[in-house]
């Protein structure tokens, strides 16, 4: 049954010039029909190179918006219109503009998990895999890092020569993990390496053998000689790694690290979206942005690609 739906999606996308981009947090059955899979940095680079007329994004809203900004002449669709990211919605542009008025020499660094509207008031964008590299590459010393204070403090530690101001935002999924859960997982699996995403609190990240982006965690686990790993990011990553590396053992750090928004997209929705794009019935959820918004919000993404590419 699943195979039949996947075959249909593959047929429809080929016949209708549709490219499917999927974030690594999506389920395995979706990754299997995608043309590009990766973390948010890789997907933004992939989106800028896509040659198809249509992009179908399996992930959350800000990612599809980013793809639209990087490929404004293409039609970009989000497989599930309800898949948002609470962190991306946490701050309004007016709030950042007020800080900029008070401190005009402070450059604003925005995590890519932000709305396009917020990006219009930011100087440079970063992803979890490019944040440290880009902040180091910036000539400016005084920065405001938004919205994730956990990723921000991870960057702060890696760039001690910078004066980085943080605000109180973050990913509710990763931030829910506690230091006590780390102690419990380590006691249960004393030989396992702990790999965590820097969206986790410092009390968690600081205990990790490796802290880094989704693809950083995947690469570390695949290339390490170790045989056991505790995975401190969305649980789908532990599942994908277990599938790809059957000779190793992967444990989840906490049952709480399930992103409900990433889980909203199902294979049926990918199928229905692809069918609607093909038939032009208007049912697929298209990302519509004005040229002005794209032009303004894209400046900080282009700056990220310039400094980190
Ligand atoms: P990355 O894809 O940048 O690792 O971020 C993880 C995440 O939370 C996606 O929303
Ligand atoms: Fe947003 Fe966190 Fe889910 Fe990523 S894991 S999409 S940051 S809520």
């Amino acid at each position: 049954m699943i195979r039949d739906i996947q075959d249909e999606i593959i047929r429809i996308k080929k016949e209708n010039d549709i490219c499917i981009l999927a974030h690594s947090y999506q389920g395995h059955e979706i990754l299997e029909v995608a043309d590009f899979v990766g973390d948010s940095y890789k997907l933004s680079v992939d989106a800028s190179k896509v040659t198809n007329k249509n992009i179908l994004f399996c992930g959350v809203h800000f990612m599809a918006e980013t793809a639209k900004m990087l490929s404004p002449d293409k039609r970009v669709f989000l497989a599930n219109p309800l898949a948002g990211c609470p962190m991306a919605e946490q701050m309004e542009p007016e709030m950042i503009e007020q800080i900029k008025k008070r401190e005009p020499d402070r450059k604003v660094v925005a995590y890519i998990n932000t709305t396009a509207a917020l990006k219009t008031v930011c100087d440079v964008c970063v992803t979890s895999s490019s944040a440290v590299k880009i902040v180091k590459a910036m000539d400016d010393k005084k920065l405001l890092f938004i919205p994730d204070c956990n990723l921000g403090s991870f960057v702060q530690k890696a760039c001690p020569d910078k004066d980085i101001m943080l605000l109180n935002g973050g990913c509710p999924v990763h931030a829910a993990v506690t230091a006590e859960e780390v102690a419990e997982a380590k006691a249960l699996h004393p030989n396992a390496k702990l790999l965590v995403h820097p969206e986790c609190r410092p009390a968690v990240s600081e205990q990790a053998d490796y802290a880094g982006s989704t693809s950083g965690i995947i690469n570390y686990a695949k290339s390490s000689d170790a045989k056991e790993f505790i995975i401190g990011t969305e649980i789908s990553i532990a599942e994908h790694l277990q599938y790809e590396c059957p000779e190793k053992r992967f444990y989840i750090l906490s049952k709480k690290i399930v992103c409900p928004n990433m889980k909203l997209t199902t294979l049926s929705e990918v199928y229905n979206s692809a069918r609607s794009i093909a038939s032009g019935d208007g049912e697929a959820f298209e990302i519509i942005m004005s040229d002005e918004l794209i032009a303004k919000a894209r400046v900080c993404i282009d700056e990220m690609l310039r400094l980190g590419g």
Side-chain angles (χ1 to χ4, degrees):
M1 178 67 177
I2 287 181
R3 190 65 252 171
D4 294 338
I5 301 176
Q6 287 178 319
D7 287 345
E8 263 306 281
I9 295 172
I10 292 165
R11 182 189 66 75
I12 298 170
K13 74 171 185 174
K14 280 190 184 148
E15 288 176 5
N16 295 278
D17 205 15
I18 302 170
C19 171
I20 299 183
L21 302 184
H23 190 270
S24 314
Y25 289 180
Q26 298 291 298
H28 191 76
E29 68 289 357
I30 293 176
L31 302 193
E32 283 182 337
V33 297
D35 298 277
F36 297 97
V37 173
D39 67 1
S40 39
Y41 184 73
K42 179 179 178 296
L43 290 179
S44 18
V45 175
D46 291 339
S48 67
K49 295 182 183 154
V50 165
T51 54
N52 305 71
K53 223 165 50 200
N54 303 296
I55 294 176
L56 176 53
F57 209 104
C58 306
V60 292
H61 192 267
F62 76 82
M63 296 179 178
E65 250 185 6
T66 306
K68 178 69 184 174
M69 288 187 256
L70 291 166
S71 299
D73 300 332
K74 303 190 189 317
R75 298 187 72 187
V76 177
F77 300 86
L78 180 63
N80 186 323
L82 299 176
C85 165
M87 164 153 57
E89 318 270 329
Q90 278 164 352
M91 286 167 199
E92 295 297 330
E94 295 71 31
M95 177 182 163
I96 304 308
E97 270 174 335
Q98 274 174 13
I99 298 175
K100 282 170 78 166
K101 260 193 211 134
R102 279 203 314 270
E103 299 198 46
D105 56 342
R106 202 175 275 283
K107 288 280 182 286
V108 184
V109 181
Y111 193 16
I112 200 157
N113 301 33
T114 41
T115 59
L118 191 59
K119 286 186 177 84
T120 62
V121 296
C122 299
D123 298 291
V124 63
C125 228
V126 298
T127 65
S128 50
S129 52
S130 66
V132 170
K133 185 177 175 188
I134 287 171
V135 167
K136 279 189 176 164
M138 290 173 78
D139 292 332
D140 312 86
K141 291 266 179 272
K142 286 182 80 175
L143 308 173
L144 166 63
F145 189 101
I146 57 166
D148 187 351
C149 62
N150 293 328
L151 179 62
S153 77
F154 177 78
V155 174
Q156 225 169 24
K157 277 190 204 90
C159 307
D161 60 317
K162 308 269 179 178
D163 161 10
I164 305 179
M165 177 181 174
L166 303 174
L167 299 177
N168 195 17
C171 165
V173 176
H174 286 84
V177 185
T178 62
E180 290 70 37
E181 284 174 296
V182 174
E184 280 166 28
K186 284 191 169 202
L188 271 174
H189 310 292
N191 299 320
K193 297 269 186 215
L194 174 66
L195 317 182
V196 310
H197 197 285
E199 284 174 14
C200 292
R201 292 160 194 255
V204 172
S205 306
E206 279 160 9
Q207 299 193 61
D209 295 288
Y210 172 81
S213 69
T214 307
S215 42
I217 290 174
I218 294 172
N219 294 341
Y220 185 102
K222 282 185 178 172
S223 59
S224 167
D225 291 334
K227 293 278 172 270
E228 292 180 72
F229 304 87
I230 302 164
I231 303 297
T233 190
E234 222 280 341
I235 59 163
S236 54
I237 299 303
E239 287 167 15
H240 299 326
L241 280 167
Q242 191 59 76
Y243 181 84
E244 286 186 52
C245 312
E247 74 290 359
K248 297 181 177 179
R249 298 294 299 272
F250 296 91
Y251 312 106
I252 54 172
L253 171 57
S254 162
K255 286 184 191 142
K256 289 186 291 203
I257 329 184
V258 179
C259 175
N261 288 286
M262 284 282 184
K263 295 284 175 278
L264 283 175
T265 305
T266 62
L267 193 63
S268 308
E269 273 149 350
V270 181
Y271 172 65
N272 288 334
S273 301
R275 262 178 28 151
S276 295
I277 297 168
S279 71
D281 65 7
E283 290 294 318
F285 180 75
E286 182 168 2
I287 303 292
I288 305 288
M289 298 169 74
S290 70
D291 292 345
E292 194 195 348
L293 178 59
I294 291 179
K296 279 191 184 161
R298 213 191 129 129
V299 173
C300 68
I301 297 177
D302 286 340
E303 188 60 0
M304 167 181 83
L305 296 172
R306 189 183 72 79
L307 289 170

